Amino acid sequence: MRVLFVCTGNLCRSPFAERLFRVEAEKKGLSAVADSAGTLAMEGQTVPEVAIDVAREFGVDLAPHRSRPLGTAHVPRSDLLLGMSRAHVEELRLVRDETGALGKIALLGTFDGGSEEIPDPIGLEPAAFRETFGRIAACVAGLVAELRRARPRAGAG
């Protein structure tokens, strides 16, 4: 299972989701690979300090992350494509159609029982990052639980 998380700049929401997903999937014994990209990202930008600091509060290290633009190479190798907003989902659909990829596209926000978009905290106070990262954490937990139900561990039951 390959999961791609997408936001706008690939500077806080999608890298946070990617790294948190890796941690949670490993904890739950889920065999999955995660990546992230941004629809308007420039290659190689560093994560803002406020995002790094708040991510640490959630046990996630964003310091090594460098932004990556969404490209046609990401989409075909992903089984599940998750956008933070409806605009990201639409961009993913365009790239998927262009590449002929088969991956399922959804809003990450649907995995915590809601259907709302996950707001971008860039340029806001640390409290906005905490709120956004908390929402992403709830969504990632829901996503991992759903994937585990769909793909039981080898040797289980």
Side-chain angles (χ1 to χ4, degrees), residues 19-123:
R19 289 172 186 258
L20 185 61
F21 177 84
R22 289 177 183 171
V23 169
E24 293 302 313
E26 185 177 331
K27 279 184 194 174
K28 302 293 185 184
L30 180 66
S31 178
V33 176
D35 200 359
S36 67
T39 58
L40 297 176
M42 295 188 327
E43 186 74 40
Q45 289 187 306
T46 58
V47 174
E49 281 300 317
V50 64
I52 291 170
D53 293 343
V54 173
R56 278 193 191 115
E57 295 173 15
F58 288 85
V60 175
D61 183 10
L62 289 182
H65 179 79
R66 298 298 177 264
S67 61
R68 295 178 294 270
L70 177 66
T72 56
H74 290 106
V75 174
R77 63 181 191 227
S78 299
D79 302 301
L80 182 58
L81 307 142
L82 298 166
M84 303 294 156
S85 74
R86 287 174 185 83
H88 302 137
V89 166
E90 288 307 313
E91 183 72 22
L92 284 165
R93 284 190 179 118
L94 291 172
V95 176
R96 182 183 66 182
D97 290 349
E98 177 183 328
T99 62
L102 301 174
K104 179 183 174 189
I105 299 173
L107 275 171
L108 178 61
T110 62
F111 288 93
D112 71 348
S115 61
E116 296 176 24
E117 299 180 351
I118 298 174
D120 189 350
I122 291 289

